[in-house]
C-alpha cells in the first residue's frame, strides 16, 4: 500500500487492500475456533459502581502509584517492570458517584498480537467507559503512538464518534449507495469492492458525512467500541516549569505527579467531564431531597424510564407520573411521563398508581 500512489484511479485498489487487511486482522484477534483451553486465572473484574475507568500504559510509568494514591487501595509498587500482573480494582467516590478504577498490567509493543498477556489487558480496557493512558513525561510521544496503535488494532477507537453511516444487509437487490453529501474518497465501485471482500453483495449503504474507507470498514466489522480517553502525563516533578506550560496546551491531556499527589483535582474534574454522568436526586413525598446519594445515570440513557429501571424493574409497572424540579423542566415542579429526559442534578419524585 505504501508503494501505491494515491489518486482516483488507484483509490478502488487501495480500498480493497484496506478491507482485506482489516479482515485478516480480525481473524488474528479472534482465532477461527480450536479446542477450549483449561480455565485460566481470571483477569477481568466484576463491574461495580456507576462508571469504569482503565489505566493503560507501558510498564513502570506509575499506574499503580496513581491508583494507590487516588483510591487508597494498595497495588504493589516496585522499581522493576511488570510489578502488576493482574487487574487491581479500586473505587473512588466523586460528586456522589462511585467510580471504579482498574489498574491494568503494562502494555508492550505487540500487545494486540498477544505479547505479554496484552490481549487480556486490552480486552478489559474495551469494557471501560473511559481510558486513561498513563505516559511518562520524559518520553511521551513515542509511547503514545505505540499504545494508540495497539488499541486501534484491537478495535478501540479513542476520542472519536461512530461514523455516520447507515448499513443494512438485504436478501436481494444488489448494493444501494446513497450519499447525502459529496464524498472525497468513496465511490460506488470502492464500496462494492470493500463489501465484496466481506462476501456482502446485497446491502443498503447510506453515507451521511464525508467518510473514509476505514470508517466504512469499521461499520461493516461492527465490533468497534468508541471510548473517550485522557492522556495522563506522570512524573512532572522531573521537568521544568517552561516545559509544563507547553504540555498544558496538548488536547485531552493532564499532567500530574502520582508520587507527590500533584494536580489530582484537575484530573478528577477532567475525568468527570469525559464520563458525562448525570446525577439525579430523589425526593420522598413530604420530605427534603436527599442530596447525599444521587442516582447516577450514563448520559446516553437519562429518561425517567431509565431512572426507574436503575432502581428496580418493577417500579416502571406501577409508575403513574413523576414530579421533576430542575433545569430539564419549564415549571418547578412539573408533572412528566416516563419519556421525559432528565438533566444533571434534577430532583425527582415518583408517584405510583
Amino acid at each position: 500500500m505504501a508503494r501505491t500512489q494515491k489518486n482516483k484511479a488507484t483509490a478502488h485498489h487501495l480500498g480493497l487492500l484496506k478491507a482485506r487487511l482489516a479482515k485478516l486482522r480480525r481473524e488474528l484477534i479472534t482465532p477461527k475456533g480450536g479446542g477450549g483451553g483449561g480455565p485460566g486465572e481470571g483477569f477481568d473484574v466484576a463491574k461495580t459502581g456507576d462508571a469504569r475507568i482503565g489505566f493503560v500504559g507501558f510498564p513502570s510509568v506509575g499506574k499503580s502509584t496513581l491508583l494507590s494514591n487516588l483510591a487508597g487501595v494498595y497495588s504493589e509498587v516496585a522499581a522493576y517492570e511488570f510489578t502488576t500482573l493482574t487487574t487491581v480494582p479500586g473505587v473512588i467516590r466523586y460528586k456522589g458517584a462511585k467510580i471504579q478504577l482498574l489498574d491494568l498490567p503494562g502494555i508492550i509493543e505487540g500487545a494486540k498480537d498477544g505479547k505479554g498477556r496484552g490481549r487480556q489487558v486490552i480486552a478489559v480496557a474495551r469494557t471501560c467507559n473511559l481510558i486513561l493512558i498513563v505516559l511518562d513525561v520524559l518520553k511521551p510521544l513515542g509511547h503514545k503512538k505505540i499504545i494508540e496503535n495497539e488499541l486501534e488494532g484491537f478495535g478501540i477507537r479513542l476520542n472519536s464518534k461512530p461514523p455516520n453511516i447507515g448499513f443494512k444487509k438485504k436478501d436481494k437487490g444488489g448494493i444501494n449507495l446513497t450519499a447525502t453529501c459529496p464524498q472525497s474518497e468513496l465511490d460506488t465501485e470502492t464500496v462494492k469492492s470493500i463489501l465484496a471482500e466481506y462476501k456482502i453483495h446485497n446491502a443498503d449503504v447510506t453515507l451521511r458525512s464525508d467518510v473514509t474507507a476505514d470508517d466504512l470498514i469499521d461499520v461493516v466489522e461492527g465490533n468497534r467500541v468508541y471510548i473517550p480517553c485522557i492522556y495522563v502525563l506522570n512524573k512532572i516533578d522531573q521537568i521544568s516549569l517552561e516545559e509544563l506550560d507547553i504540555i498544558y496546551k496538548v488536547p485531552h491531556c493532564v499532567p500530574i505527579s502520582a508520587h507527590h499527589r500533584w494536580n489530582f483535582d484537575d484530573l478528577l474534574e477532567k475525568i468527570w467531564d469525559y464520563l458525562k454522568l448525570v446525577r439525579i436526586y430523589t425526593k420522598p413525598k413530604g420530605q427534603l431531597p436527599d442530596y447525599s446519594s444521587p442516582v447516577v445515570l450514563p448520559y446516553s440513557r437519562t429518561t425517567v424510564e431509565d431512572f426507574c429501571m436503575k432502581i428496580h424493574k418493577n417500579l416502571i409497572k406501577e409508575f403513574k407520573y413523576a414530579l421533576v424540579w430542575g433545569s430539564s423542566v419549564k415549571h418547578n415542579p412539573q408533572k412528566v411521563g416516563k419519556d421525559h429526559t432528565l438533566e444533571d442534578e434534577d430532583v425527582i419524585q415518583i408517584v405510583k398508581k
Side-chain angles (χ1 to χ4, degrees):
M1 279 168 73
R3 275 186 305 194
T4 315
Q5 49 170 273
K6 290 187 176 68
N7 56 33
K8 276 188 189 148
T10 59
H12 171 79
H13 171 68
L14 280 172
L16 255 176
L17 292 178
K18 275 183 185 163
R20 200 162 293 169
L21 259 175
K23 195 169 145 203
L24 293 170
R25 271 205 200 108
R26 187 192 53 189
E27 278 168 17
L28 269 177
I29 291 174
T30 49
K32 275 280 168 65
E41 183 167 315
F43 205 80
D44 199 0
V45 178
K47 210 167 188 172
T48 60
D50 302 307
R52 181 176 209 187
I53 301 177
F55 295 168
V56 177
F58 274 82
S60 293
V61 290
K63 298 188 291 295
S64 300
T65 315
L66 181 57
L67 179 79
S68 310
N69 285 343
L70 265 180
V73 179
Y74 181 65
S75 177
E76 200 175 329
V77 179
Y80 53 89
E81 304 194 327
F82 290 110
T83 325
T84 312
L85 290 173
T86 61
T87 316
V88 181
V91 172
I92 52 171
R93 299 207 63 137
Y94 186 65
K95 296 191 178 178
K98 275 169 84 174
I99 299 173
Q100 183 182 34
L101 304 173
L102 298 183
D103 176 20
L104 301 172
I107 284 185
I108 48 179
E109 200 166 352
K112 63 175 185 288
D113 312 320
K115 258 193 198 161
R117 292 193 84 177
R119 278 224 191 125
Q120 289 103 310
V121 177
I122 301 181
V124 177
R126 266 184 81 113
T127 64
C128 297
N129 303 89
L130 170 69
I131 291 179
L132 292 190
I133 295 187
V134 186
L135 301 165
D136 193 331
V137 143
L138 302 173
K139 40 192 175 189
L141 290 172
H143 282 183
K144 177 177 170 223
K145 275 274 178 304
I146 296 172
I147 290 176
E148 281 178 349
N149 200 7
E150 299 298 320
L151 295 177
E152 295 260 315
F154 214 81
I156 297 177
R157 300 282 175 267
L158 299 172
N159 280 335
S160 60
K161 288 198 161 55
N164 202 346
I165 299 177
F167 175 72
K168 196 175 171 198
K169 285 188 196 173
K170 298 181 298 185
D171 293 342
K172 53 179 187 283
I175 284 171
N176 259 340
L177 181 68
T178 38
T180 53
C181 57
Q183 297 293 321
S184 57
E185 193 174 316
L186 294 176
D187 55 4
T188 318
E189 279 304 299
T190 319
V191 172
K192 273 188 182 164
S193 59
I194 289 176
L195 292 178
E197 195 54 52
Y198 287 97
K199 301 194 172 63
I200 297 172
H201 302 294
N202 303 304
D204 285 332
V205 181
T206 326
L207 309 175
R208 300 193 193 88
S209 57
D210 191 359
V211 291
T212 63
D214 292 329
D215 291 340
L216 179 65
I217 292 169
D218 279 356
V219 170
V220 177
E221 284 267 358
N223 61 355
R224 304 290 189 247
V225 285
Y226 297 85
I227 303 179
C229 143
I230 300 176
Y231 304 104
V232 179
L233 292 175
N234 193 9
K235 309 188 185 178
I236 53 170
D237 43 325
Q238 300 176 6
I239 59 170
S240 67
L241 273 173
E242 288 78 25
E243 292 171 300
L244 193 56
D245 287 339
I246 298 170
I247 288 171
Y248 246 104
K249 293 177 182 140
V250 183
H252 308 302
C253 195
V254 182
I256 62 156
S257 166
H259 187 64
H260 296 281
R261 301 179 178 226
W262 294 346
N263 209 9
F264 274 11
D265 39 1
D266 207 18
L267 175 65
L268 285 169
E269 199 46 54
K270 193 112 175 183
I271 287 175
W272 184 257
D273 284 352
Y274 277 65
L275 283 174
K276 295 200 189 93
L277 295 173
V278 175
R279 291 162 295 175
I280 309 294
Y281 301 113
T282 52
K283 178 187 179 308
K285 191 171 178 188
Q287 291 171 26
L288 286 172
D290 175 14
Y291 286 118
S292 57
S293 50
V295 175
V296 180
L297 301 172
Y299 72 101
S300 51
R301 295 199 290 273
T302 55
T303 61
V304 178
E305 187 171 2
D306 295 319
F307 169 82
C308 294
M309 292 300 281
K310 173 98 184 185
I311 292 174
H312 199 283
K313 55 179 181 285
N314 283 349
L315 192 55
I316 201 74
K317 292 176 188 161
E318 302 169 1
F319 178 86
K320 188 175 179 188
Y321 62 89
L323 294 170
V324 175
W325 291 255
S327 57
S328 66
V329 289
K330 289 200 181 85
H331 318 288
N332 283 332
Q334 184 173 326
K335 248 186 186 181
V336 296
K338 63 174 190 228
D339 297 328
H340 174 74
T341 309
L342 299 163
E343 282 175 23
D344 195 22
E345 304 214 61
D346 280 358
V347 175
I348 187 170
Q349 174 186 334
I350 288 182
V351 180
K352 293 184 186 176
K353 282 174 186 159

